[in-house]
Amino acid sequence: MSCYRGKYADELIKNAAYIGSPGKGILAADESTGTIGKRFESIKVENTESNRRALRELLFTTPNVLQFLSGVIFFEETLYQKTASGKLFVDVLKEGGVLPGIKVDKGTIELAGTNGETTTQGLDDLAKRCQQYYTAGARFAKWRAVLKIGPNEPSQLAINENANGLARYAIICQENGLVPIVEPEILVDGSHDINRCADVTERVLAACYKALNDHKVLLEGTLLKPNMVTPGSEAKKVAPEVIAEHTVRALQRTMPAAVPAVVFLSGGQSEEEATVNLNAMNQLKTKKPWSLTFSYGRALQQSTLKAWAGKTENVKKAQDNFHGRCKANSEATLGTYKGGAASGDGASESLHVKDYKY
Amino acid sequence: MHVDELIKNAKFIATPGKGILAADESTGTIGKRLASINVENIESNRQALRELLFTSPSALSYLSGVILFEETLYQKTSDGKPFVDVLQENDVVPGIKVDKGTVDIAGTNGETTTQGFDSLGARCAQFYKAGARFAKWRSVLKIGPDEPSELSIQQNAQGLARYAIICQENGLVPIVEPEILTDGGHDIKKCAAATETVLAAVYKALNDHHVLLEGTLLKPNMVTPGSDSPKVRIEFNDPAEVIAEYTVTALRRTVPPAVPGIVFLSGGQSEEEATLNLSAMNKLEVLKPWTLSFSFGRALQQSTLKTWAGKKENVEKAQAVFLARCKANSEATLGKYGGGAGGDLAAQSLYEKGYKY
């Protein structure tokens, strides 16, 4: 057979296409307990379950925000949490036409003999876990593979390992009713120019799609979550149009039209940068047979987090800010963003953390 | 490197409403064709046939390219005008076959790889000087119980990628042709699976070899049932539509949007089948980020050849037949072919088991 078409095939195709709906994108709210702890530290909030729950409730119950979202990625704990009035977050989303998603990887570990390159773990019992998540309401999954650019990186080993891992994860998800978001993030760390990033991105994506084909993944039921093509964090910045051209070109050279949508990660970009770059891509007049939208974590939450600062009296202010960012990104998917949205404190703040670990 | 020129030429060849005439039959192969109409295989007859085709009034307006065999690249009309000039003056890009045929891969069940690398760069440079602006290299795979094997897929994909980059280094747009033969009793799904696997391997190899996709074209087989299996059941569906769906799905899953055009080979399909299938593909309402056109040899020339039969007095009639086929295929690239051009002659299957060029 060509690709695998199991009992969930039609549902996978429908859900993947829905996530790529014009005007919508994904909120990546899947920070692990450790990672969300770092965020809380920055606003002096204690890392307790109730605070984690409170933050997510703030986001998901922001009035009129769900219209801008087609999906939200959860961390496992959050999948089972409820609002203060006792409604499951999953139900809040479903009622708002938003698909719940779930982070299923178990973080990265180093590849021996390389210069700090990693592979991602989480394949053990993945099928069983996916089934459980499906029962709990999840309809898509996310798995983050990480690569870096250096004098000898990414190595062929790192590319092969990560591509293969993504493909195994993807087919297991599809066997169990979850649309796999394929995320081969190439870190922005380094002083390389945009052409180097383009080169590496094209090589990595080509390897990913070859692996997906080898593993018989149904491309129409997947999404891609790549980095944008940009200069390294220590290199000179370029205009959004330049980022847009290089990024879309890399996708044109590697991503088959069968994939319905690209949901970009924001990496270390500021909220505003991430929105403006996405907007530039959607304004580009060139062949784009897939939707280009967002799957932002930090770039959707940073200024909202600061506005909240853990205090109940700040919730409305924080929610207004969050609404503004979501609306801005929604416009960016249509190429109609005019700039200057909800710039609460921190919308222009770079969110780059060297050698960022989730 | 010739980056801009390659991109421009590839894009031009992919112009909607136009396609490629594959007139690159080697001396041996054209001999078989001429034999079928009782014509002697001598240089002047080969020249006469190609002159008939290239000077068909108005036919060139439906063509963006013609693939030539080496001998033909240097031939002239009976008035002394180089064929290359005739083509160029009519906005048709001359192309050149550069492979040197297939050889068996030891240890496989009759699978092959393609040769032609020795001095390929130098040959491409010469062909560019002579006016060629694109090249063609035919890789062949087959479907069987254990075929295509991983070895055959790898060898042919790598070969196509090496050929492609060498062409680009020398200003020729490479047409990448991984033909999966129709021979066999397999169903259309098996062909689809093989086609997707082969094309994925080809595009991975092209990426590995740093080939500029915007300056290439793809020449694949359509996805059809095997020659020995029942034709696609008619019942409720138009068989052409079924072939169109499977083919376009396979391409959407494997051919990056950067490739400007896909120019199908006709395999053993009759002239009419090939045109109907191409038209159905272009009618399909699904996103296709590359143009879908033709690069037909037999499926453009067969009835023309029969009508000519080597006789001067038949030239005009033969040219009219040729024009009709070109026009039909042009309409097919726009999804507008209504069927019936060329009658019985055009409906004749051109399938030959184990076809060798």
Side-chain angles (χ1 to χ4, degrees), chain B residues 81-298:
Chain B
K81 178 176 245 177
F83 282 154
V84 166
D85 291 352
V86 173
L87 295 181
Q88 284 171 345
E89 280 166 23
N90 285 281
D91 282 327
V92 180
V93 183
I96 177 74
K97 185 229 296 291
V98 300
D99 71 75
K100 294 188 171 182
T102 58
V103 290
D104 279 7
I105 303 176
T108 68
N109 181 17
E111 291 181 291
T112 65
T113 187
T114 300
Q115 43 181 26
F117 289 110
D118 301 349
S119 300
L120 180 58
R123 294 171 57 229
C124 285
Q126 266 168 21
F127 294 142
Y128 182 94
K129 268 228 258 326
R133 289 294 178 271
F134 72 95
K136 163 267 182 90
W137 170 288
R138 179 174 176 258
S139 268
V140 185
L141 298 113
K142 67 179 196 174
I143 294 176
D146 301 308
E147 292 84 15
S149 65
E150 184 61 22
L151 174 60
S152 149
I153 293 174
Q154 280 316 310
Q155 278 303 297
N156 284 289
Q158 289 297 316
L160 282 165
R162 267 307 282 152
Y163 139 81
I165 192 69
I166 291 170
C167 282
Q168 292 193 330
E169 285 178 296
N170 293 286
L172 304 181
V173 170
I175 294 186
V176 173
E177 179 177 356
E179 172 170 6
I180 302 168
L181 298 173
T182 37
D183 302 45
H186 53 272
D187 63 15
I188 195 170
K189 289 193 169 149
K190 184 111 203 266
C191 179
T195 304
E196 287 171 27
T197 302
V198 168
L199 290 179
V202 167
Y203 282 97
K204 177 61 166 66
L206 291 174
N207 181 278
D208 287 342
H209 288 255
H210 309 294
V211 176
L212 175 72
L213 292 189
E214 295 87 337
T216 65
L217 296 159
L218 179 70
K219 179 165 170 167
N221 50 284
M222 297 185 192
V223 176
T224 68
S227 52
D228 296 336
S229 84
K231 294 238 170 232
V232 179
R233 244 171 255 303
I234 299 177
E235 281 181 17
F236 303 104
N237 281 327
D238 175 11
E241 206 185 301
V242 177
I243 286 171
E245 275 170 20
Y246 275 91
T247 305
V248 174
T249 298
L251 299 168
R252 275 171 50 83
R253 287 174 175 171
T254 53
V255 184
V259 177
I262 297 179
V263 292
F264 291 97
L265 60 93
S266 45
Q269 295 180 32
S270 70
E271 289 175 327
E272 188 66 358
E273 260 183 308
T275 307
L276 287 172
N277 290 338
L278 180 61
S279 195
M281 278 183 232
N282 279 292
K283 270 224 257 306
L284 221 49
E285 273 170 27
V286 78
L287 217 154
K288 294 162 283 187
W290 358 251
T291 60
L292 298 175
S293 182
F294 57 93
S295 173
F296 292 165
R298 286 170 280 171

Side-chain angles (χ1 to χ4, degrees), chain A residues 1-3 5 202-203 206-207 210 213 218-220 249 251-258 287 289-290, chain B residues 154 192-193 196-197 200-201 204 207 212-214 249 252-260 287 289-290:
Chain A
M1 66 170 75
S2 53
C3 53
R5 285 190 72 105
E202 288 168 28
R203 264 179 73 208
K210 178 62 165 68
N213 181 278
L218 174 70
L219 291 188
E220 294 88 334
R249 194 176 65 182
L251 297 168
Q252 286 173 336
R253 288 173 172 176
T254 54
M255 213 173 97
K287 271 191 284 194
W290 355 254
Chain B
Q154 280 316 310
E196 287 171 27
T197 302
K204 177 61 166 66
N207 181 278
L212 175 72
L213 292 189
E214 295 87 337
T249 298
R252 275 171 50 83
R253 287 174 175 171
T254 53
V255 184
V259 177
L287 217 154
W290 358 251

Side-chain angles (χ1 to χ4, degrees), chain B residues 312-351:
Chain B
K312 261 214 176 79
E313 58 268 31
N314 292 340
V315 166
E316 220 181 288
K317 210 165 90 179
Q319 288 184 323
V321 170
F322 182 61
L323 171 64
R325 242 27 261 170
C326 289
K327 182 163 188 284
N329 283 300
S330 162
E331 287 168 3
T333 70
L334 303 170
K336 294 201 165 102
Y337 179 57
D344 277 347
L345 213 46
Q348 203 178 90
S349 168
L350 301 168
Y351 171 66

Side-chain angles (χ1 to χ4, degrees), chain A residues 1 55 58 75 88 94 181 207 229 245 264 278 299 308 319 340:
Chain A
M1 66 170 75
L55 169 63
L58 185 160
F75 178 62
L88 281 168
K94 276 208 210 139
I181 293 186
V229 175
E245 270 167 26
F264 290 98
L278 179 63
W308 176 52
Q319 288 186 326

Side-chain angles (χ1 to χ4, degrees), chain A residues 172-207:
Chain A
I172 291 170
C173 282
Q174 293 194 330
E175 286 179 291
N176 294 288
L178 304 182
V179 171
I181 293 186
V182 174
E183 180 178 354
E185 173 171 5
I186 301 162
L187 296 174
V188 73
D189 301 48
S191 53
H192 53 273
D193 65 14
I194 194 169
N195 288 315
R196 181 91 204 277
C197 179
D199 226 38
V200 171
T201 302
E202 288 168 28
R203 264 179 73 208
V204 169
L205 291 181

Side-chain angles (χ1 to χ4, degrees), chain A residues 185-306:
Chain A
E185 173 171 5
I186 301 162
L187 296 174
V188 73
D189 301 48
S191 53
H192 53 273
D193 65 14
I194 194 169
N195 288 315
R196 181 91 204 277
C197 179
D199 226 38
V200 171
T201 302
E202 288 168 28
R203 264 179 73 208
V204 169
L205 291 181
C208 285
Y209 282 100
K210 178 62 165 68
L212 291 172
N213 181 278
D214 288 343
H215 288 255
K216 309 197 186 300
V217 176
L218 174 70
L219 291 188
E220 294 88 334
T222 65
L223 298 159
L224 182 72
K225 180 165 170 166
N227 49 283
M228 296 186 193
V229 175
T230 69
S233 51
E234 288 155 45
K236 215 167 77 133
K237 286 201 180 283
V238 300
E241 292 71 39
V242 178
I243 288 174
E245 270 167 26
H246 283 77
T247 305
V248 175
R249 194 176 65 182
L251 297 168
Q252 286 173 336
R253 288 173 172 176
T254 54
M255 213 173 97
V259 182
V262 179
V263 298
F264 290 98
L265 61 92
S266 45
Q269 295 179 34
S270 70
E271 289 176 327
E272 188 65 3
E273 261 181 312
T275 306
V276 165
N277 288 337
L278 179 63
N279 191 56
M281 279 183 232
N282 279 294
Q283 286 185 336
L284 215 50
K285 290 199 194 320
T286 184
K287 271 191 284 194
K288 293 171 291 184
W290 355 254
S291 313
L292 300 174
T293 183
F294 57 92
S295 174
Y296 293 165
R298 287 171 280 170
L300 264 176
Q301 300 179 61
Q302 185 70 3
S303 50
T304 300
L305 203 67
K306 285 206 145 99

